[in-house]
């Protein structure tokens, strides 16, 4: 069990206030209220909860388990879990009386966005916790009254039962707020460790584990690292490598089979992790361990005989085969280093290659070739692991020559245009980019560009264009390239992306097609008499408007690439001042207006405003609407689609 000090990071006053706001603004449906005595002979095992639930156990000791988390109940205990959780209740004594409250929460349409923002911080409806209430008898009476009202059957009775549910929630959060409670919830990092030890062979989503505790993936990562001294991903990789080492030492399975059986995506991923952690290939590791086993077996028959009791007194087993003799532990690292040294020494002796003073060996080419012939998996893995060095604003970064598992944010269209289907995409939510490249990313995983989400995909390359503050954390997961797209022209950015993905020819082909589209658009504007017309773009509303400059994604296209003219006021106040936006009141708006307006975003223009109605562009219906699906990103596929949209609209209006 866990005391208040250990979980204070999870139920801070701010979190409690947020949870209370969510409950107060959500639509709550009470589904069922039950009570039963669970006896030790017939425990409840692995019941899949059909909805969110409160469980109150009293009258005896019991173990309540939700998924991988166990709660010890002594006399009274209240536990909460989300829909889909696996519930088990095992009385320690003869029986335990258990109340179960089933409920469902929904968001009202008019508060959906606001509630989603709160739910991104903490979700009280899936949050998993357990504690002993400050006044357990009062809580017991509350559950009993809720049960009696629910069994009344009439609508008024069910309304009363629902009111008791709200009283229960208020009492729970009041207990959390006052802090005078005994928490039953185990340490999330410990439960996570148990889960990873059990499920490391399976695909792991750290966010799903965090959801079990109702905390964010980032918070779980911080708690785990603080307790275990390593990140979630590092621990998971360590467990998988340990299992792979066992397979390499004790089976004749191929490296591909071992990779598949220990949770790695494929043998290439296993190879890369071995090179990173052991500085050698899996095949080399297998050879070295085979050699060390031979060394340990030398002159076996000359050992002095002794009985099992004496052996037990002398030798103690530690973890996976480590042993200590007379209290001294021989570490895996020492055995590994000794075996490695022996292998290198034998290699040097048989090849005639001298060992230099630094302890490294330089074997001739024929030795390397024979080694690859003997172990074809190594050759394939080494070919797959070839790398190139990319110069970036963050320094030189070594990337795979042909990346296979690419995660990208924001500039998804650039990656897709170069013929690469990303494994994971961030900030490319369905609906915002679906019209542009939905078919190409239909099989991509949509994630947030947060370390814990990216870790779960095990990428071999990360392309980051938004959220520079995450660069250091992401670069620890896989080679990460930061693209300062705002400081690059389209040509510079696409060539840079082509260099990153090893697609230089594709990049030139994409740029040529894009340049042709720009020239065709400019020619069409000239023929339609639009070359000398001015254009204003921005977001317009009843109270104030935001007029965009040439740094805006659409502004780059309109003013820099299509070379359309801005009104003098926009040019002097926004573009010349190197501003992204300029806030303009409705009264000042006429001074910024051009011959044509491009309205950005999905909000409606202020059609009922008197000043708005008097604008010449409005009166002459020279407004081009550009939704967020096209104005949101600067990637080349979205820009290309935006050109088509704006050109077609302007040409139609010019007629």
């Amino acid at each position: 069990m866990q005391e208040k000090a250990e979980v204070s990071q999870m139920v801070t006053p701010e979190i409690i206030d947020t949870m209370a706001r969510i409950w107060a603004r959500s639509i709550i449906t009470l589904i069922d209220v039950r009570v039963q005595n669970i006896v030790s002979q017939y425990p409840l095992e692995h019941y899949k909860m059909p909805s969110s639930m409160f469980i109150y156990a009293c009258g005896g000791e019991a173990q309540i388990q939700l998924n991988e988390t166990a709660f010890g109940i002594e006399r009274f205990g209240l536990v909460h879990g989300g829909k889909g959780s696996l519930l088990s209740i095992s009385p320690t004594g003869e029986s335990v009386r258990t109340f179960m409250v089933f409920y469902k929460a929904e968001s009202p349409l008019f508060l959906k966005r606001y509630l989603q923002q709160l739910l991104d911080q903490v979700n009280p409806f899936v949050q998993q916790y357990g504690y002993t209430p400050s006044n357990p008898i009062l809580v017991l009476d509350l559950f009993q009254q809720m049960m009696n009202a629910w069994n009344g059957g009439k609508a008024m009775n069910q309304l009363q039962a629902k009111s008791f549910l709200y009283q229960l929630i208020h009492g729970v959060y009041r207990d959390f707020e006052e802090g005078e409670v005994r928490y039953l919830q185990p340490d999330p990092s410990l439960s996570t460790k148990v889960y990873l030890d059990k499920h490391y062979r399976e695909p792991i989503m750290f966010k799903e584990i965090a959801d079990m505790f109702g905390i964010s993936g980032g918070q779980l990562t911080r708690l785990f690292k603080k307790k275990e001294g390593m990140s979630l991903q590092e621990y998971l990789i360590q467990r998988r490598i340990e299992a792979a080492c066992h397979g390499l030492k004790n089976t004749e399975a191929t490296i591909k089979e071992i990779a598949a059986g220990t949770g790695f995506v494929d043998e290439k991923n296993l190879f890369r992790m071995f090179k990173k952690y052991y500085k050698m290939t899996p095949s080399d590791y297998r050879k070295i361990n085979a050699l060390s086993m031979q060394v340990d077996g030398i002159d076996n028959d000359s050992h002095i005989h002794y009985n099992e009791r004496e052996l037990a007194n002398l030798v103690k087993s530690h973890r996976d085969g480590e042993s200590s003799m007379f209290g001294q532990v021989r570490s895996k690292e020492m055995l590994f280093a000794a075996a490695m040294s022996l292998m290198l020494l034998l290699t040097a002796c048989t090849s005639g290659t001298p060992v230099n003073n630094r302890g490294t060996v330089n074997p001739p080419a024929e030795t390397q070739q024979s080694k690859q012939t003997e172990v074809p998996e190594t050759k394939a893995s080494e070919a797959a692991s070839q790398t190139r060095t990319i110069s970036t604003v963050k320094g030189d970064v070594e990337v795979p020559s042909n990346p296979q598992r690419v995660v990208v944010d924001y500039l998804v269209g650039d990656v897709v245009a170069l013929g690469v289907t990303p494994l994971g995409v961030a900030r490319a939510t369905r609906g915002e980019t679906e019209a542009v490249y939905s078919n190409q990313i239909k099989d991509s995983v949509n994630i947030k560009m947060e370390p814990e989400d990216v870790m779960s995909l095990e990428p071999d390359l990360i392309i980051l264009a938004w959220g520079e503050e995450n660069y250091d954390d992401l670069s620890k997961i896989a080679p990460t390239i930061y693209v300062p797209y705002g400081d690059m022209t389209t040509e510079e950015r696409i060539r840079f992306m082509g260099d990153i993905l090893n697609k230089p020819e594709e990049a030139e082909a994409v740029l040529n097609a894009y340049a042709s589209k720009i020239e065709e658009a400019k020619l069409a504007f000239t023929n339609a008499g639009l070359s000398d017309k001015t254009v204003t773009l921005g977001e317009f509303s009843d109270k104030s408007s935001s007029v965009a400059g040439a740094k805006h994604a659409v502004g780059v296209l309109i003013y820099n690439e299509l070379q359309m003219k801005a009104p003098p006021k926009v040019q002097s106040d926004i573009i010349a001042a190197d501003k992204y936006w300029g806030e303009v009141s409705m009264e000042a708006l006429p001074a910024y207006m051009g011959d044509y307006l491009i309205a950005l975003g999905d909000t409606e223009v202020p059609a009922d405003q008197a000043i708005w109605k008097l604008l010449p562009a409005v009166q002459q219906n020279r407004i081009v609407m550009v939704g967020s699906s096209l104005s949101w990103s600067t990637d080349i596929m979205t820009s290309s689609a935006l050109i088509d949209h704006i050109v077609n609209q302007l040409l139609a209006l010019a007629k």
Side-chain angles (χ1 to χ4, degrees):
M1 293 182 226
Q2 188 173 16
E3 301 299 330
K4 177 197 171 197
E6 296 175 89
V7 294
S8 60
Q9 299 178 66
M10 298 175 57
V11 286
T12 62
E14 293 78 15
I15 291 295
I16 295 171
D17 182 71
T18 300
M19 293 190 297
R21 288 175 184 270
I22 293 171
W23 271 96
R25 290 161 176 78
S26 298
I27 300 173
I28 306 299
T29 302
L30 185 57
I31 299 174
D32 196 8
V33 182
R34 305 174 189 173
V35 63
Q36 68 180 100
N37 284 326
I38 298 178
V39 296
S40 57
Q41 295 91 331
Y42 302 101
L44 180 67
E45 295 183 334
H46 305 299
Y47 171 69
K48 189 172 184 179
M49 291 162 46
S51 68
S52 297
M53 288 177 58
F54 284 97
I55 302 101
Y56 191 62
C58 57
E61 295 184 6
Q63 286 285 334
I64 297 181
Q65 182 169 331
L66 285 179
N67 299 317
E68 305 295 329
T69 306
F71 304 91
I73 307 295
E74 294 181 356
R75 296 177 59 224
F76 301 93
L78 189 150
V79 174
H80 179 273
K83 178 181 178 180
S85 298
L86 293 178
L87 172 65
S88 298
I89 303 178
S90 302
T92 305
E94 292 185 2
S95 66
V96 63
R97 193 180 189 201
T98 307
F99 290 87
M100 298 182 183
V101 177
F102 302 74
Y103 74 92
K104 180 176 69 173
E106 298 174 291
S107 302
L109 290 176
F110 62 92
L111 285 175
K112 199 172 188 68
R113 179 175 295 182
Y114 171 70
L115 278 175
Q116 188 56 54
Q117 293 174 348
L118 296 179
L119 289 169
D120 287 340
Q121 301 176 44
V122 60
N123 188 336
F125 309 126
V126 301
Q127 191 178 36
Q128 186 171 297
Y129 57 82
Y131 83 105
T132 300
S134 59
N135 191 333
I137 302 301
L138 181 62
V139 173
L140 174 60
D141 183 61
L142 195 58
F143 272 97
Q144 187 64 62
Q145 291 186 72
M146 194 187 315
M147 182 72 201
N148 295 339
W150 182 257
N151 288 335
K154 296 182 180 180
M156 287 295 289
N157 297 127
Q158 294 181 352
L159 179 61
Q160 185 181 31
K162 188 173 181 179
S163 73
F164 287 131
L165 173 61
Y166 281 109
Q167 290 181 51
L168 172 65
I169 298 302
H170 179 267
V172 168
Y173 290 169
R174 182 64 71 189
D175 276 349
F176 286 171
E177 191 173 54
E178 293 176 354
E180 299 300 324
V181 295
R182 184 182 184 187
Y183 289 95
L184 306 175
Q185 183 166 341
D187 186 345
S189 61
L190 179 60
S191 295
T192 300
K193 185 177 179 180
V194 172
Y195 182 88
L196 294 179
D197 287 343
K198 184 177 180 180
H199 298 281
Y200 67 88
R201 292 181 175 88
E202 307 166 11
I204 300 291
M205 291 292 290
F206 296 126
K207 188 178 186 304
E208 292 179 0
I209 301 176
D211 286 344
M212 296 177 187
F213 304 100
I215 61 177
S216 69
Q219 189 173 3
L220 177 62
T221 299
R222 290 190 293 273
L223 290 171
F224 189 90
K225 189 166 187 177
K226 181 178 180 181
K227 188 172 185 67
E228 301 297 331
M230 66 180 73
S231 69
L232 287 163
Q233 183 70 5
E234 288 172 334
Y235 184 79
L236 178 59
I237 291 173
Q238 177 179 292
R239 289 294 293 113
R240 288 173 172 171
I241 287 183
E242 286 176 359
C245 288
H246 183 270
L248 291 167
K249 288 189 293 185
N250 299 288
T251 74
E252 295 182 357
T254 66
I255 293 177
K256 183 176 182 180
E257 290 168 342
I258 291 173
T262 55
F264 289 98
V265 176
D266 50 35
E267 66 270 31
K268 297 176 184 176
N269 186 246
L270 173 59
F271 178 89
R272 186 167 69 86
M273 290 303 162
F274 246 86
K275 291 284 285 184
K276 179 178 180 180
Y277 285 89
Y278 287 127
K279 310 302 181 187
M280 65 172 61
T281 67
S283 296
D284 288 342
Y285 179 87
R286 172 173 269 169
K287 285 184 175 182
I288 291 171
N289 278 275
L291 180 61
S292 66
M293 290 173 66
Q294 294 171 13
V295 172
D296 289 340
I298 291 176
D299 201 20
N300 239 356
D301 294 336
S302 66
H303 292 171
I304 299 174
H305 296 285
Y306 46 81
N307 61 39
E308 291 183 359
R309 184 175 61 182
E310 290 171 328
L311 175 63
N313 289 333
L314 294 175
V315 182
K316 294 182 179 179
S317 177
H318 292 260
R319 296 191 294 276
D320 299 330
E322 285 186 30
S323 60
S324 65
M325 186 77 72
F326 304 111
Q328 294 181 353
V329 176
R330 204 177 347 161
S331 70
K332 293 179 181 177
E333 291 78 6
M334 291 175 65
L335 291 172
F336 180 77
M340 184 65 177
S341 299
L342 181 57
M343 179 185 176
L344 295 177
L345 180 60
L346 293 174
T347 303
C349 292
T350 56
S351 65
T353 304
V355 180
N356 64 26
N357 292 332
R358 297 183 181 178
T360 60
V361 178
N362 303 308
E366 57 267 25
T367 303
Q368 291 289 337
Q369 186 169 353
S370 64
K371 177 180 173 183
Q372 293 177 355
T373 302
E374 293 172 6
V375 190
E377 296 125 327
T378 302
K379 181 177 180 180
S381 298
E382 287 178 349
S385 68
Q386 292 179 355
T387 60
R388 298 172 296 114
T389 300
I390 305 296
S391 296
T392 77
V393 294
K394 298 289 187 180
D396 290 346
V397 179
E398 192 175 19
V399 302
S401 292
N402 294 292
Q404 302 297 312
R405 301 174 62 82
V406 179
V407 172
V408 59
D409 74 337
Y410 196 62
L411 299 175
V412 179
D414 288 353
V415 173
V416 171
L418 295 176
V420 175
T421 300
L423 170 67
V425 295
R427 307 182 191 276
T429 57
R430 302 294 188 252
E432 288 184 336
T433 57
E434 191 160 10
V436 180
Y437 41 77
S438 60
N439 289 335
Q440 291 90 335
I441 64 170
K442 62 183 179 181
D443 295 326
S444 302
V445 181
N446 201 1
I447 62 172
K448 293 182 179 179
M449 205 65 159
E450 295 181 357
E452 60 272 12
D453 290 340
V454 176
M455 284 177 188
S456 64
L457 298 182
E458 297 186 355
D460 57 13
L461 178 64
I462 302 170
I463 300 177
L464 177 68
W466 193 314
E468 186 180 357
E469 65 277 4
N470 289 331
Y471 176 84
D472 290 339
D473 290 335
L474 293 175
S475 62
K476 296 174 183 176
I477 300 171
T480 302
I481 301 293
Y482 176 66
V483 183
Y485 65 94
D487 299 327
M488 308 173 83
T489 65
T490 300
E491 290 79 6
E492 291 171 341
R493 191 184 75 246
I494 295 301
R495 288 194 176 99
F496 184 46
M497 297 290 277
D499 190 21
I500 296 169
L501 298 169
N502 202 9
K503 300 278 187 178
E505 295 180 359
E506 290 85 346
E508 291 305 318
V510 168
L511 286 175
N512 289 337
Y514 188 73
S516 297
K517 185 183 285 285
I518 292 288
E519 292 305 316
E520 290 172 2
K522 290 160 65 175
L523 180 61
F525 287 158
T526 300
N527 294 337
L530 293 172
S531 299
D532 295 329
K533 302 298 182 181
T534 57
V535 178
T536 300
L537 58 142
E539 295 180 357
F540 308 102
S541 65
D542 290 329
K543 296 182 179 179
S544 65
S545 299
S546 298
V547 176
K551 295 192 71 174
H552 187 280
V554 183
V556 170
L557 177 66
I558 295 296
Y559 298 131
N560 295 348
E561 296 183 345
L562 293 176
Q563 296 182 348
M564 302 192 77
K565 294 183 178 180
K569 191 72 170 171
V570 174
Q571 181 66 43
S572 61
D573 290 5
I574 301 174
I575 297 178
D578 203 29
K579 293 181 179 179
Y580 189 88
W581 291 103
E583 296 293 329
V584 180
S585 66
M586 181 59 68
E587 290 74 19
L589 192 58
Y592 292 85
M593 285 299 99
D595 299 313
Y596 289 84
L597 296 182
I598 297 180
L600 307 175
D602 297 322
T603 57
E604 296 184 1
V605 295
D608 296 332
Q609 283 280 354
I611 296 177
W612 178 262
K613 292 179 179 179
L614 294 176
L615 297 175
V618 175
Q619 291 180 337
Q620 297 171 26
N621 193 28
R622 293 180 173 179
I623 303 177
V624 175
M625 304 297 295
V626 176
S628 60
S629 62
L630 293 178
S631 63
W632 176 79
S633 180
T634 61
D635 69 77
I636 200 160
M637 289 189 71
T638 303
S639 296
S640 183
L642 180 59
I643 291 172
D644 292 337
H645 176 76
I646 290 177
V647 170
N648 292 336
Q649 293 290 317
L650 286 176
L651 292 178
L653 294 175
K655 294 179 180 179

